[in-house]
Amino acid sequence: MTNILLTGSSRGIGAAIAQVLSASDGIRLVGHGTASGIPADFADPAGPRALWDKALVELGTIDVLINNAGVFEDNPIDRSDDDWVAGWERTMRINLTASAELCRFAVRHWQERQSGGRIVNVASRAAYRGDSPNHWHYAASKAGMVAMTKSIARGYAAQGILAFAVCPGFTMTGMAEDYLASRGGEKLLADIPLGRVADPEEVANAVAYLATSAPPSMTGAVIDVNGASYVR
């Protein structure tokens, strides 16, 4: 039995990941979110630890951590200094710091058990390509996730601790729909050679592969799911 903790499981990509994994035999999944699983507010510094402890009680052990929870909020540079910094720090806290804390808890858990484990971080195309002038913080938080993933992969592979990342482009979730509508959907879609945004299930299948069956030699890999809108 593989025990998995998935953050941000209530909707969008997270809900699709939960559906794909829950349909597989031999998996016990605990989700995080207000509509599913264990609620925890990642804007609160106490949130990640509370989630980890509750999930560990429910599962007994955790074999796979999937960091998917995140926010995508405007933060224009003409806001007041205090408001801009608050917007920056909120996104960093939820998207990057909470993920880092959970990764740390997971690595230490596996070291204590001498068992190995897997981390899959859901980042974004923005980690490599950047994002809009209102979303410096979002791009920076996702670039941080990718760098963190690679650091974990390099640092702990010898202990059987594997780390991967997935970088979706636009995905047909509520968050992406709002962004497309606010910035002219047709123009943005023209920048995607595939001609459409990804379905959540496409991203979920990539995550499920990394979480369960990707070979250990793939540790440190980042999988792009963006319709060739950014290739590297």
Side-chain angles (χ1 to χ4, degrees), residues 108-163:
R108 289 174 59 83
H109 175 63
W110 298 326
Q111 287 177 329
E112 290 169 2
R113 295 178 61 220
Q114 298 183 336
S115 63
R118 292 182 180 231
I119 292 168
V120 184
N121 289 321
V122 180
S124 169
R125 177 187 72 171
Y128 292 99
R129 177 174 151 152
D131 212 286
S132 81
N134 288 353
H135 295 93
W136 296 8
H137 54 336
Y138 178 79
S141 71
K142 295 301 185 178
M145 287 188 79
V146 170
M148 177 176 68
T149 301
K150 293 180 178 182
S151 299
I152 293 169
R154 289 176 57 81
Y156 305 100
Q159 299 174 42
I161 296 171
L162 313 178

Side-chain angles (χ1 to χ4, degrees), residues 7 41 45 74 101-102 113 135 149 153 171 215 231:
T7 71
D41 181 5
D74 281 356
E101 291 181 271
L102 289 168
R113 295 178 61 220
H135 295 93
T149 301
T171 306
V231 293

